[in-house]
Amino acid sequence: MPTRPRHRRLALLALASALWVGSSAAAELFPLDALRPGMRGEGFSVFQGDSITRFEVEIVDRVSGRAPYDLVLVRCLGEQLERDGISQGMSGSPVYIDGRWLGAIAFNFNFAKEPLGLVTPASAMLALADRPAGTAGGRADAGDLRALPYLGEDWSPATPPALATATGEPLTLSVAGLSPASLAALASRYGAGGLTLQPMGTVDAAGSGAAPAAPLAPGAALAVELLRGPVSAAAIGTVSHVDGDRIWAFGHPFLGEGPVTLPLASARIHAVLPSLYNSFKLGAMGESVGTLLLDGQSGIYGRLGEAPPLLPLRVTLRTADGEAPLSANFGLARHRRLQATLGRLALDGWLPGRLGSAQRGCLAMDVTLSARDDANAPVRVRVGERFAGQGSVGAVGAWLQSLLAALGDNPAGPLPLDSLDVALDWTAGQEPLLLQDLSLTRAALRPGEPWRLRLNLRQGDGDATDRVLDFPDPAAGPVERLAGAALPPGDYRLHVADGTTFERWNVKRQPALYDLDDHAALLDLLGRLESTAHWVVWLEAPGEDAVAGGREFAMPVRFRELAPTSRREELLTPKEPRRIVALQRLDVPPGAAAQGHLSLPVTVLDTPRRSEP
């Protein structure tokens, strides 16, 4: 749970001098072997504002945990803690016994009737500084392109983010900039994917202009900064220990991914919100204060100073009523797993409030990616899509999420982005333009003759209309002839589909066209993908599928060898490679999004046509 504050007074002068022993390099640690039930100590945390408050702690027992170290069960004393319990946001609150640092409160218990918590030992937290740190976070094996919104059959606007900590627990984020009703709606949607959202105070969108924060001390509020802008998000916890420019916090993992590079920020606590289930601190982010370098089992470790830059995301919304465009600027944490979800959260949180109650319509979306190719040269690529009907407002955030997920996890490796620009054009009340029927004047023609198609289209409750065209027809737009000007005689299949459906069809038939060896190939692919702004008409040649009982079906070559020898040649004869021999795009009117896919068998004859009498 990160967040950050700005004005930090730190009313700490009245604290016992023993506390400050825990903030120096020579901090003396309290040995676990010397612990006895009933011992008393003191803890420090912020419960309101930025003033660090002292509270008493009683040792209950030493507890063996799943970790390679023991935890310490403690009871927190004092009127506020006995009323509110140990709240989310207290993670990292340091505990001292006889002026020596014991560790940090890291875990509490849901529905607890007493303020009992578990303390992560100081020695385990200090050991984080001995591990390699500072590399990019969230590394994983290269994935495939199924996350691309064009190519993933299971892509859906309702697909929730799938995030969790290393322990399998839901990731909790504090979110600012949303009304209570909007936050509740998003929390319900995102919760299905293991992401818990809770409210956060307002954050300065610029991330500057506030008075510099005072030096962070044990017990101060701290945030891992994830999203900054009109909608912001962070993970809020507590500073456990400071040694010069080195800082330890939380006492438990954030995501538990090891080496990471994420910004740290100060935080201010508005209040503790009591709950029978699990109380939490309502806080707000402040200014950036440093870099999170290691996300380990026993806590997080980083350096104070300059924070890593956020990924700029600019969103512009134009409406059909002629009003001036609306815009918003965000910053996303650069993290392979989180970046895609943060982009979705920015759009999901900001866009509905700009459109009011008009949630049915058509959104044309263009995303301009500014990135670096393999030679580190700047490249700008534009990717577009349209969404229409009920749910189109929520679809753009999910679409951006799936696109960013593919950029972060693809066979060429994570693509380093410089910036993102999202341009949205809204037309209220529009439904998808559906392809209801497809027919031909003639299904058999000679080489060189075009097919005359009739597309029956319907939009919403309106009357169906016919669009008649010849294919191929150079007058209607460019025609890609991939098999020469003249088609050899034979049986083919004629298809009409929206551009996105075409890409999903084509990636299965011609996967080699979507192979990625480097980022240049990825950027080239993104720049040429079709969208629902077009109908695509194409002619399909016979495929490579196996044949059995007169039916074609996909069968990898290695499996063909498993067929009975007596029938292998007869039933499993491979066909010619499936290919597109001609393709043409048809524009969809502005304010509409194509949807549908139909096909018909066609034949190219091998006999000349008789001349007219």
Side-chain angles (χ1 to χ4, degrees), residues 3 17 117 191 326 349 361 410-411 529:
T3 337
S17 60
L326 302 173
N410 61 80
L529 288 172

Side-chain angles (χ1 to χ4, degrees), residues 8-43:
R8 185 172 295 284
R9 291 181 298 102
L10 293 184
L12 302 171
L13 298 179
L15 293 179
S17 60
L19 164 63
W20 305 113
V21 176
S23 64
S24 66
E28 185 179 357
L29 307 186
F30 191 92
L32 293 185
D33 291 340
L35 279 177
R36 297 293 183 270
M39 281 185 170
R40 292 292 182 98
E42 55 189 356

Side-chain angles (χ1 to χ4, degrees), residues 36-52:
R36 297 293 183 270
M39 281 185 170
R40 292 292 182 98
E42 55 189 356
F44 296 88
S45 197
V46 175
F47 299 106
Q48 187 170 21
D50 50 20
S51 298
I52 298 176

Side-chain angles (χ1 to χ4, degrees), residues 3 22 30 97 119 140 197 216 254 271-272 302 359 366 383 443 496 566 599:
T3 337
F30 191 92
I97 295 181
V119 171
L197 303 182
L216 292 173
F254 169 50
V272 175
Q359 299 296 303
D366 286 312
V383 190
V496 178
S566 60
S599 64

